[in-house]
Amino acid sequence: MIQTRKKKKKIEEEKSNLLNNLGERVKELNCIYGVSKIFEKSEVPLDNALQETVKLLPPAMQNPDITCARIVVDNKEFSTKNFKDTRWKLQADIKVAGKKIGFAEIIYLEDALFVGEEPFLKEERALIGVVAERLGKIIERKKAEAALSKSEPNLQLTFDA
């Protein structure tokens, strides 16, 4: 009888942990999906898209209530309203054509009950890396589109001549 209760309790704990882990992965996927949705709209200016993107980062973390975020690109800063720099931060470089043009970072505003010794889960570290990489590719594409549209009149003049 006692063995059965212990087994049931252990199974319930494992189930609870699995559900918690699944919930965390769903939050991370929602963040990545949200970033893609923001940049799908080509008419949205880059600065606006980056400001919207920064808002998606805290909800994807295990402690969203004490999380803020910041994206810095070409010396322009986009941050959540509650942004404050602390020692609990996670940062990834944003690169365009292999050159660092900025970074994305997630910061805990206060000490929290962290799983293990690190304040951020390995999946959260992977998430910020994926978001930074995706931003780099999107920014590179947007800059190429801007350069192309800027050069189109000159190309048309050359073609007409």
Side-chain angles (χ1 to χ4, degrees):
M1 187 82 155
I2 294 175
Q3 288 283 53
T4 306
R5 276 194 217 140
K6 284 184 180 181
K7 282 184 182 179
K8 282 184 179 180
K9 185 175 180 178
K10 185 175 180 180
I11 289 170
E12 285 300 316
E13 286 175 3
E14 287 176 6
K15 181 181 171 184
S16 177
N17 286 339
L18 287 172
L19 287 173
N20 184 54
N21 288 340
L22 180 61
E24 292 300 315
R25 300 306 74 78
V26 167
K27 291 191 306 185
E28 294 155 8
L29 287 171
N30 283 337
C31 178
I32 294 168
Y33 176 71
V35 171
S36 294
K37 291 298 277 181
I38 289 168
F39 286 97
E40 259 179 22
K41 304 168 192 150
S42 59
E43 71 279 356
V44 175
L46 181 60
D47 287 0
N48 294 10
L50 291 170
Q51 187 60 52
E52 289 304 309
T53 298
V54 82
K55 294 175 189 175
L56 296 174
L57 297 172
M61 298 295 109
Q62 63 181 325
N63 296 299
D65 295 340
I66 59 165
T67 304
C68 63
R70 172 171 67 167
I71 295 172
V72 175
V73 172
D74 293 333
N75 296 319
K76 289 184 185 175
E77 185 175 309
F78 309 90
S79 60
T80 54
K81 288 181 182 179
N82 65 339
F83 180 79
K84 183 174 97 177
D85 202 3
T86 72
R87 64 185 177 132
W88 304 288
K89 67 176 76 177
L90 183 60
Q91 190 178 86
D93 291 343
I94 298 172
K95 296 179 181 181
V96 170
K99 181 183 171 201
K100 180 181 174 182
I101 63 158
F103 59 87
E105 71 182 349
I106 298 167
I107 298 173
Y108 280 135
L109 298 168
E110 59 187 63
D111 201 353
L113 295 175
F114 302 128
V115 177
E117 293 180 25
E118 291 289 322
F120 297 96
L121 302 172
K122 70 177 185 191
E123 294 86 358
E124 292 171 330
R125 291 191 296 274
L127 174 67
I128 192 71
V130 166
V131 169
E133 181 182 342
R134 184 82 181 116
L135 288 176
K137 289 178 182 178
I138 291 166
I139 292 166
E140 187 171 15
R141 187 190 82 228
K142 289 237 180 223
K143 286 183 176 185
E145 288 171 357
L148 180 62
S149 76
K150 188 176 181 182
S151 68
E152 277 180 350
N154 292 339
L155 289 173
Q156 189 62 45
L157 286 174
T158 303
F159 181 72
D160 291 343

